[in-house]
Amino acid sequence: MINKIRTQLVQNAASILRSPIHLLPKTVQKKALLEGLKLVFQEALEDGDFEFLEDKWLKVEVSDLNVSWLISYQDEKLVVADQPVQEDVSFSGSLNDLVLIAGRKEDPDTLFFQRRLSIEGDTELGLEVKNLMDSIDLDSLPKAMQVMLNQLADFVEKGLNDAQAPKEVSNAY
């Protein structure tokens, strides 16, 4: 019973979250995104590892939520565009796949070759972004964030695995 509920939640997460996310003002989305990025990439930002993104735009799209953000690095800080700009590279994936990548349950290369992660545009820039993501030490995140990310990724992984598992056939008459 619990497995069925988890599977349904995972399979329907995007449709459940789509309306609330679209009702959230862009300014709130932007602030939350920037704060999250600063927290996750604190060490990389301090080391100047984002210089490759200076005056370039990265589009991150959660395809099944129909949301995207344009991110750049300007004046030694990450910025999110207030209005549409032409992206140099675009990463697009489903909510569940992006959660699995963030929680290190799936490799971005594997999802790319399975056509579950789309990377379009400047491939060299895209590779630098992917390598930066791969270099994040999850242990450097605040403990609460580590636990939350691990639990969420485990939940999604189990829900997807349960959905793909063959159903038991009852022989009761």
Side-chain angles (χ1 to χ4, degrees):
M1 178 70 162
I2 297 291
N3 290 346
K4 281 185 178 183
I5 293 170
R6 177 181 47 226
T7 300
Q8 288 298 313
L9 283 171
V10 169
Q11 288 179 331
N12 296 305
S15 61
I16 293 167
L17 295 173
R18 191 175 303 118
S19 290
I21 286 177
H22 284 274
L23 292 173
L24 199 60
K26 286 284 187 184
T27 55
V28 174
Q29 289 182 33
K30 177 182 170 179
K31 183 161 179 53
L33 179 63
L34 279 173
E35 292 304 315
L37 290 172
K38 286 181 201 173
L39 189 60
V40 170
F41 291 107
Q42 180 179 354
E43 189 176 315
L45 286 164
E46 289 170 357
D47 293 344
D49 292 345
F50 276 91
E51 287 179 358
F52 70 90
L53 198 56
E54 187 128 16
D55 298 324
K56 306 275 186 189
W57 288 97
L58 162 66
K59 179 180 179 182
V60 177
E61 178 180 19
V62 185
S63 56
D64 50 354
L65 287 180
N66 298 324
V67 296
S68 63
W69 301 276
L70 291 152
I71 303 163
S72 185
Y73 183 75
Q74 298 172 359
D75 300 322
E76 299 183 13
K77 63 183 180 192
L78 290 173
V79 295
V80 176
D82 291 321
Q83 55 194 359
V85 295
Q86 180 60 46
E87 72 267 12
D88 295 283
V89 66
S90 173
F91 280 70
S92 178
S94 73
L95 174 64
N96 288 333
D97 286 337
L98 295 174
V99 167
L100 293 174
I101 290 170
R104 299 281 167 43
K105 300 292 182 184
E106 283 283 0
D107 177 61
D109 292 328
T110 301
L111 295 181
F112 176 78
F113 289 113
Q114 292 175 351
R115 297 180 185 256
R116 291 169 50 193
L117 176 66
S118 170
I119 303 171
E120 297 177 358
D122 183 336
T123 53
E124 185 177 330
L125 183 61
L127 185 59
E128 289 188 72
V129 171
K130 187 196 85 61
N131 289 340
L132 182 64
M133 289 173 19
D134 286 343
S135 73
I136 296 171
D137 179 11
L138 295 182
D139 292 334
S140 68
L141 297 176
K143 192 67 172 169
M145 185 179 254
Q146 288 178 43
V147 170
M148 182 187 73
L149 183 58
N150 285 331
Q151 289 180 347
L152 180 60
D154 284 342
F155 187 86
V156 169
E157 182 180 49
K158 288 175 184 170
L160 292 173
N161 288 341
D162 289 346
Q164 296 170 357
K167 306 289 183 233
E168 289 184 26
V169 178
S170 174
N171 289 334
Y173 291 91

